[in-house]
Amino acid sequence: MFDKFREECGVFGIFGHPEAANLTYLGLFALQHRGQESAGIAVADGERVRVSRAMGQVAEAFDETALAKLPGHLAIGHTRYSTAGESTLENAQPFLIDCAHGQIAVAHNGNLVNAEDLRDELVRAGSIFQTSSDTEVILHLYARSRAPSVDEALVESISQIRGAYSLVLLTKNRLIAARDPHGFRPLALGRLGESWIVCSETCALDLIGATYERDVEPGEILVISDGGVRSIKPFPPQPLAHCVFEHVYFSRPDSYVFGRSVNEVRTDLGRILAREAPAPADVVVPIPDSGVCAAIGYAEASGLPMKMGLIRNHYIGRTFIQPQQSIRHFSVKVKLNPVRSILEGQRVILIDDSIVRGTTSRKIVKMVKAAGAREVHLRISCPPTVSPCFYGVDTPSRGELIASTHSIEQIRGFVEADSLAYLSLEGLRGAVGQTQGSYCTSCYTGVYPVSVPRDERAYQQLALKVVE
Ligand code: SF4
């Protein structure tokens, strides 16, 4: 409904707890913001792996009866928003197969850039695919491996995939976590008593009362079994490319990702933005919820008061049907309402985390002005988004990204703000600079750290030819 990059997926895994399925259900609740299209849990009891998947949010997908059918002491779970593959139940994860190495289930956060090439090879070699998801490729590679052990077969299959992956896998007696060598997506390791947990964000550990131990390292495979935790690092080190957008927008502010509090980074983005792009104004107003942390930082650094001049309705379900009648800006109004007593007669600095197509920003600026604001100065806590993502984030095509075809002044004119400014790339790098490692910033630069899928390669070659 809103003009945003769409979250990718959330993964959760637990080993060594009698209520593994119930805790996975709770963990997925905390990760719901990372995907709302489908949810699934696979559980194992030492003998057998069972899976349950359904369309919708976690609370819709599971009830007590469904959870009662998932006995076992180890489990994995997934909340999905489709970045590759259609939004259908057959594409809902975890996927479960039975092969020569035994049963294995997988849940994936990220996107493989060589999935199409691998899939073509596998199909030529006789594989029959059940889904249109890139994740299924991993299972086919595993099933075809002639390696003598489960661990070796896993290493062999994972070494063939490229791109972004934070994976959790489940066999009848093992929980396995793997993170790509660039570390695009977060993956945390935690403990609850004697149980081990892996999850996309630390907010899932908080919900179940677990403690954060460390991140699964880029390029690391963790095999958790009755024998303990075994760390395998089979890949040569690669330059780190943590997704900076996790800090800008995706992750919850109460999580720690890539070694730093998301709330702290996001507030810093606002502080730096205030120094880079001040405006003569009376009040700072966030576009909730995504602009709140940056607005707090902007207000703090500028000395202006921050007020909630827009109120968000949190109760719009996935199934909300937009009525046909022509109410102006209906799609925004159903989610946001202006507070006239805060906005009337004021010069407003409106803070948001990004502009994708520009259509929603335009409606919000109009709404704030219609509520009586004298001036609206739009400030964005990241640089202009000019390129699509191939590493697990759903983005519109390049041509639909307003900043790829319009200057900042043209965008200002389109959204009808009195002024518009974005955070600089240096400002963004400065805010995340204290975290561990280096960042992917491709959606702001168009420079990609890992080779892109073949469709994009064709596009880039065409673009090069045109430039030549
Ligand atoms: S392109 Fe953007 S959204 Fe995608 S991984 Fe890089 S920083 Fe994240």
Side-chain angles (χ1 to χ4, degrees), residues 45-61:
D45 56 6
E47 299 289 328
R48 188 179 153 197
V49 183
R50 297 174 174 85
V51 70
S52 175
R53 306 173 300 161
M55 299 304 288
Q57 297 184 8
V58 183
E60 300 167 83

Side-chain angles (χ1 to χ4, degrees), residues 367-434:
M367 179 192 274
V368 170
K369 285 196 169 173
R374 198 147 48 94
E375 294 172 13
V376 176
H377 302 277
L378 185 57
R379 296 291 178 269
I380 306 298
S381 62
C382 73
T385 311
V386 295
S387 273
C389 175
F390 302 103
Y391 310 127
V393 174
D394 184 55
T395 48
S397 66
R398 195 184 298 269
E400 290 174 279
L401 296 168
I402 191 169
S404 75
T405 51
H406 291 65
S407 68
I408 293 178
E409 176 52 24
Q410 286 171 327
I411 300 170
R412 184 209 62 74
F414 177 73
V415 301
E416 298 182 22
D418 294 283
S419 74
L420 167 67
Y422 290 83
L423 185 70
S424 69
L425 194 57
E426 296 69 36
L428 176 64
R429 289 192 175 126
V432 297
Q434 295 161 35

Side-chain angles (χ1 to χ4, degrees), residues 238-448:
Q238 298 286 335
L240 293 180
H242 300 320
C243 171
V244 80
F245 220 75
E246 293 280 352
H247 271 305
V248 171
Y249 174 67
F250 292 134
S251 295
R252 268 178 39 169
D254 50 337
S255 286
Y256 278 72
V257 301
F258 311 134
R260 195 163 168 220
S261 151
V262 175
N263 173 61
E264 267 179 40
V265 171
R266 229 167 259 177
T267 309
D268 267 358
L269 296 174
R271 290 187 188 109
I272 298 169
L273 182 61
R275 290 195 285 275
E276 288 186 348
D282 306 303
V283 64
V284 176
V285 171
I287 296 180
D289 294 324
S290 54
V292 171
C293 296
I296 290 169
Y298 193 103
E300 190 190 298
S302 64
L304 293 168
M306 186 194 101
K307 295 186 183 175
M308 296 302 288
L310 289 164
I311 300 300
R312 180 174 167 190
N313 184 339
H314 286 94
Y315 303 100
I316 304 159
R318 240 176 3 99
T319 48
F320 175 80
I321 298 162
Q322 183 158 329
Q324 290 301 307
Q325 76 259 34
S326 55
I327 300 171
R328 262 169 73 79
H329 311 315
F330 186 84
S331 61
V332 169
K333 277 183 177 166
V334 79
K335 205 163 183 185
L336 289 179
N337 201 32
V339 183
R340 184 171 278 274
S341 63
I342 289 176
L343 301 170
E344 199 155 34
Q346 299 293 293
R347 295 170 301 166
V348 174
I349 296 182
L350 202 56
I351 307 279
D352 204 359
D353 59 82
S354 55
I355 298 178
V356 179
R357 295 180 181 83
T359 45
T360 300
S361 307
R362 177 184 164 100
K363 288 174 185 167
I364 295 172
V365 170
K366 280 190 173 178
M367 179 192 274
V368 170
K369 285 196 169 173
R374 198 147 48 94
E375 294 172 13
V376 176
H377 302 277
L378 185 57
R379 296 291 178 269
I380 306 298
S381 62
C382 73
T385 311
V386 295
S387 273
C389 175
F390 302 103
Y391 310 127
V393 174
D394 184 55
T395 48
S397 66
R398 195 184 298 269
E400 290 174 279
L401 296 168
I402 191 169
S404 75
T405 51
H406 291 65
S407 68
I408 293 178
E409 176 52 24
Q410 286 171 327
I411 300 170
R412 184 209 62 74
F414 177 73
V415 301
E416 298 182 22
D418 294 283
S419 74
L420 167 67
Y422 290 83
L423 185 70
S424 69
L425 194 57
E426 296 69 36
L428 176 64
R429 289 192 175 126
V432 297
Q434 295 161 35
T435 59
Q436 297 160 358
S438 304
Y439 281 82
C440 173
T441 53
S442 304
C443 45
Y444 309 121
T445 61
V447 177
Y448 292 94

